């Protein structure tokens, strides 16, 4: 009886073990595909082949990998950067949605996520209301400052912050007054601050 039980147990284990290894193998395969996609995306980005990069990354948009998602946001931005107004706005909204998902996924290395957040939000030129314009202004500063904390050596972050300071410093008086009626505090900066950040870029 003991021998039959042992034999049966071994059979059960032998049936389970290959399945476990199979599942692990699939997980490793999936991970290697994601890593390859990220490397290929960087290569295509350098080559300027944004359409190919977008189509490749889009297949993995539900992978839950922040590093892949910010690359997808980046190439989405590149595809719509010079597009007509409506197409560009749709592209920016799509890219920001990928970044939202990247933040939800979490992780320790979210510097690029915050950097591209600030770039995409900063590329929205037409705001229906003063409230939305000021709200986006706060978001840009928040994300670019976080990007600088995490990636202090990246010159693009300082360019984005310098550009933000320049835009805010040049905000018309009427918009400032309208903003003060909505928010207790509105973004403020000077051309001197903008220059300081531009010199770091």
């Amino acid at each position: 009886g003991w021998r039959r039980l042992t034999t049966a147990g071994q059979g059960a284990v032998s049936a389970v073990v290959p399945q476990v290894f199979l599942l692990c193998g699939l997980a490793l395969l999936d991970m290697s595909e994601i890593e390859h996609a990220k490397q290929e995306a960087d290569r295509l980005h350098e080559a300027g082949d944004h359409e190919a990069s977008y189509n490749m990354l889009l297949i993995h948009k539900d992978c839950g990998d922040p590093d892949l998602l910010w690359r997808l946001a980046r190439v989405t931005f590149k595809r719509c950067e010079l597009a007509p107004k409506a197409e560009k706005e749709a592209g920016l909204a799509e890219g920001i949605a990928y970044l939202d998902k990247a933040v939800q996924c979490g992780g320790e290395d979210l510097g690029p996520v915050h950097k591209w957040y600030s770039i995409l939000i900063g590329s929205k030129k037409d705001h229906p209301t003063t409230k939305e314009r000021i709200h986006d202004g706060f978001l840009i500063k928040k994300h670019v400052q976080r990007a600088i904390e995490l990636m202090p050596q990246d010159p693009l972050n300082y360019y984005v912050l310098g550009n933000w300071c320049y835009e805010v410093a040049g905000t018309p008086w009427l918009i400032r007054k309208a903003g003060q009626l909505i928010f207790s505090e509105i973004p403020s900066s000077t051309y001197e601050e903008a220059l300081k950040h531009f010199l770091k870029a």
Side-chain angles (χ1 to χ4, degrees), residues 54-133:
Y54 175 79
N55 290 330
M56 177 193 64
L57 291 174
L58 196 62
I59 298 171
H60 304 289
K61 65 183 177 68
D62 297 318
C63 70
D65 186 318
D67 279 341
L68 185 137
L69 289 167
W70 73 252
R71 286 174 168 86
L72 181 53
R74 175 182 67 181
V75 75
T76 302
F77 167 72
K78 287 296 182 180
R79 288 176 74 239
C80 73
E81 192 173 11
L82 302 177
K85 178 181 173 181
E87 188 178 335
K88 181 175 182 178
E89 290 298 318
L92 291 174
E94 180 186 349
I96 290 169
Y98 296 138
L99 294 169
D100 286 338
K101 187 174 180 180
V103 170
Q104 291 170 8
C105 292
E108 297 180 359
D109 186 21
L110 294 181
V113 175
H114 292 289
K115 178 175 82 171
W116 285 99
Y117 245 129
S118 64
I119 291 171
L120 267 68
I121 296 173
S123 298
K124 293 166 61 178
K125 296 301 181 186
D126 295 318
H127 295 86
T129 65
T130 299
K131 182 178 180 179
E132 288 187 34
R133 177 175 178 173

Side-chain angles (χ1 to χ4, degrees), residues 1-14:
W2 169 254
R3 184 168 184 172
R4 284 200 301 272
L5 182 60
T6 304
T7 304
Q10 289 174 343
V13 170
S14 63

